[in-house]
Amino acid sequence: MSRRLQRSALLCLFAASIVACSRGGVSPGGPAALPPVADAHRLKQAVSGQITIEGRVTSIVPTPYFHVVVDVSGQSASVYTSELKTAKPGDTVRAVGFYNSLGNFQASSASIVSTASSSPTPSSSPLPSTSPSPVPAPSSEVPGVIKQFQVFDYDITAAQSTSNAPKMSVVWGAGIGDAGANPHTWLAGNSHLAATQYVVQPTDHYAVSHHDLAWWQSNHPDWIVYDCDEYNRPTRTVAYQPGLPQDVPLDIHNPSVVSYQIHTAAAFAIAHGANAIAADQTLFFDYDGNQQPGWFGCGVYARDGSFVRRWGAAKGGFPNYDPQWNHDVAGWVASAKTILTTDEALEPHHIKLFVNHPAGSVSNPDELTVAANVDGDVNETGFTDYGHYATSPHLFKSTLDYMELVQAKGKQALEVAKFGGGISPAQLAYAIATFLIGNEGRASLFISPGSYGEIINYPQISTVNSKLGTACGSYSTIAGGYAYERKFSGGLVIVNPGVGGTVSVSLSHAYANLMGGTIGIGALSVGPAQAYVLLTSSNGCV
């Protein structure tokens, strides 16, 4: 997971070799080259990489997310990229990228071919004739039920996985250990569960491909990412991610790289019984590098020996916060989803895509691309920030907003509440309450006192699921906007993130506290970073 490096010790547990796709896949020798422009009837092949569209700009839409509307052979395409901010209606533009699940064109590069005053260039590629799949609508009912998911299973036996599977929605990294649990044992207990194959998004995950650095230097040396130093100068040092010395970092800007990664991961998943891919480190900051202080992954060397910069054009440093990196990560997600859902060899297997991606701005176009194209998002920081939530009072609202966004897109919001060195009753109450405030029926929760890889059954979760009932509606802000509450048919949930200090909440019912004891009618004082899950036998909605 993104904040912990312990997974590097787990990689040696994978023993099976990669199995190539039977059709349309990628052999260990690398993917075949795609033509620079894809015709409409070639959609099945073209989506493994990126396609090129070209057409006349009909309008500019500056807000809420800048994009240009382009007429491509009589059909309109919304092209999202800041590279066309100087374009005007009537200009002819060309863009390289792919269509996301909303039907919008996510451009990795774009340019103005001709201005309105010059002769426009005829379009070289019409829009694909196949309509994108609609995004499922979120559930209209909000149950007061905590669905759970599991992060890794290296300490879980086969029997434990099968017996606990019915209450799980997802297993992030199924079959990662030798205790007995694997995708088959999980799915034996719950055929609707997503048992995922673990990979690391910006790399070639060695446990899956078994390709070491020497293999890459011999086969695709121009796909290997190298460091820039603290002065932003290219080096010849491979930009391995911290703690992952075997996973060669790859150029995710390159569509052929993305095609190779997804075909390889999907083939391995299918061969080992997994029905989904879990892409760790899908981060909006460049986490490659740091072999020396301030070094970061910045580019590749072409086969002629010339350096090609991908990231860090404006500045260096580790980790590197580069808008181009963010755009490439979002593009990777959208392209990965397209490959999984349209490739002739992969589509029949219905492989789902889950990413480990922390909450971000819900108005960021790249964030929207990620949310629109995943089947689920793991927020490893979650509401609790590894137990440090009391010092981050603004974390609650940003996490809540992103959790709502993911669910509104019809996707699964997977919230992690991981602590270090045990978990107190107050911490457990905060983990459960914050989740319930934002659960719209498409969310799941993982709680751990410190470790991944084992199942911990908290009786408080069973109590919530049997007694809290159905949500009366969405959450409300109270105490001048500094606290949040949500009413349920069998109770009340209150969260004070701590932005405004201690707050007073008026209670119209007597309640049983989930963590023990009772609370009577009247004023309840709720301190900073404190939360309550309260249960009642009366109608909690009034």
Side-chain angles (χ1 to χ4, degrees), residues 38-45 126 128-129:
D39 298 323
H41 69 278
R42 293 196 65 262
L43 176 63
K44 288 285 187 181
Q45 292 76 27
S129 57

Side-chain angles (χ1 to χ4, degrees), residues 22-191:
S22 60
R23 282 186 64 195
V26 180
S27 68
L34 293 168
V37 178
D39 298 323
H41 69 278
R42 293 196 65 262
L43 176 63
K44 288 285 187 181
Q45 292 76 27
V47 292
S48 294
Q50 297 191 25
I51 63 174
T52 300
I53 64 171
E54 188 173 301
R56 184 176 58 84
V57 176
T58 58
S59 62
I60 307 292
V61 183
T63 59
Y65 318 115
F66 176 85
H67 63 277
V68 300
V69 180
V70 180
D71 178 19
V72 182
S73 296
Q75 299 186 61
S76 292
S78 294
V79 180
Y80 285 79
T81 174
S82 59
E83 293 180 322
L84 296 178
K85 285 201 170 181
T86 60
K88 297 179 177 58
D91 291 352
T92 298
V93 299
R94 179 181 297 134
V96 178
F98 35 79
Y99 293 95
N100 64 25
S101 63
L102 299 178
N104 300 323
F105 193 82
Q106 297 293 147
S108 58
S109 63
S111 61
I112 300 173
V113 176
S114 63
T115 62
S117 59
S118 60
S119 299
T121 303
S123 169
S124 58
S125 176
L127 281 171
S129 57
T130 304
S131 300
S133 300
V135 177
S139 172
S140 59
E141 184 178 63
V142 182
V145 172
I146 300 176
K147 290 188 292 185
Q148 296 173 256
F149 77 103
Q150 179 63 36
V151 178
F152 297 137
D153 58 5
Y154 48 79
D155 288 330
I156 300 173
T157 66
Q160 288 173 326
S161 62
T162 301
S163 63
N164 282 274
K167 63 187 176 187
M168 299 291 180
S169 61
V170 176
V171 179
W172 174 273
I176 200 169
D178 58 3
N182 60 57
H184 298 287
T185 63
W186 285 106
L187 292 169
N190 181 1
S191 61

Side-chain angles (χ1 to χ4, degrees), residues 284-352:
F284 275 2
F285 50 87
D286 179 359
Y287 199 63
D288 287 351
N290 208 34
Q291 276 64 45
Q292 299 289 338
W295 290 26
F296 68 99
C298 62
V300 298
Y301 286 93
R303 289 184 178 267
D304 63 5
S306 61
F307 179 74
V308 181
R309 178 175 290 277
R310 291 300 193 209
W311 311 289
K315 66 180 183 69
F318 174 86
N320 187 254
Y321 297 90
D322 187 338
Q324 182 59 51
W325 174 270
N326 298 356
H327 191 62
D328 287 340
V329 169
W332 185 98
V333 172
S335 186
K337 186 60 177 177
T338 302
I339 293 169
L340 292 172
T341 55
T342 61
D343 183 275
E344 291 179 351
L346 300 182
E347 186 276 332
H349 296 278
H350 306 292
I351 301 295
K352 304 300 182 183

